[in-house]
Amino acid sequence: MIRKSAELAAILSFFFPGLGQVYNGEFVKAFLFILGAMLFGSLLGLYLTVPLWIWAVVDAYTSVEEINCLHRLREAAGKGKRGTADAA
């Protein structure tokens, strides 16, 4: 498993809300952030667009941390299962 970069995900979302989520493989969430940014940007101006943008950056960063943690746990569990099967 290739570890994803939380910093890169945050930077991508900084440039465009939802792009970091695409990098994470969270396509539904990315679609919602992109749609929200377009709707809020066109209808309500910066009042809701800026908080959504910040949320997208923070979410991209924290999601990568969670994804990487889950992959490490799965790898550790897989190694443990193989180790016990080899010993039997």
Side-chain angles (χ1 to χ4, degrees):
M1 192 323 266
I2 298 173
R3 184 178 174 273
K4 292 186 179 272
S5 169
E7 293 81 10
L8 178 58
I11 290 169
L12 290 170
S13 274
F14 177 77
F15 285 118
F16 193 84
L19 199 55
Q21 285 73 18
V22 170
Y23 170 74
N24 294 343
E26 300 173 305
F27 300 110
V28 173
K29 196 186 291 187
F31 173 76
L32 293 174
F33 273 118
I34 292 167
L35 182 65
M38 288 190 302
L39 287 176
F40 290 160
S42 63
L43 299 175
L44 302 171
L46 294 177
Y47 295 111
L48 291 176
T49 305
V50 171
L52 179 76
W53 192 2
I54 293 169
W55 180 21
V57 171
V58 171
D59 178 74
Y61 185 90
T62 57
S63 292
V64 168
E65 293 295 323
E66 292 172 7
I67 290 167
N68 286 338
C69 183
L70 287 173
H71 283 296
R72 282 192 299 269
L73 288 173
R74 287 183 185 145
E75 287 176 358
K79 288 179 184 176
K81 287 180 183 177
R82 283 187 296 227
T84 56
D86 291 338

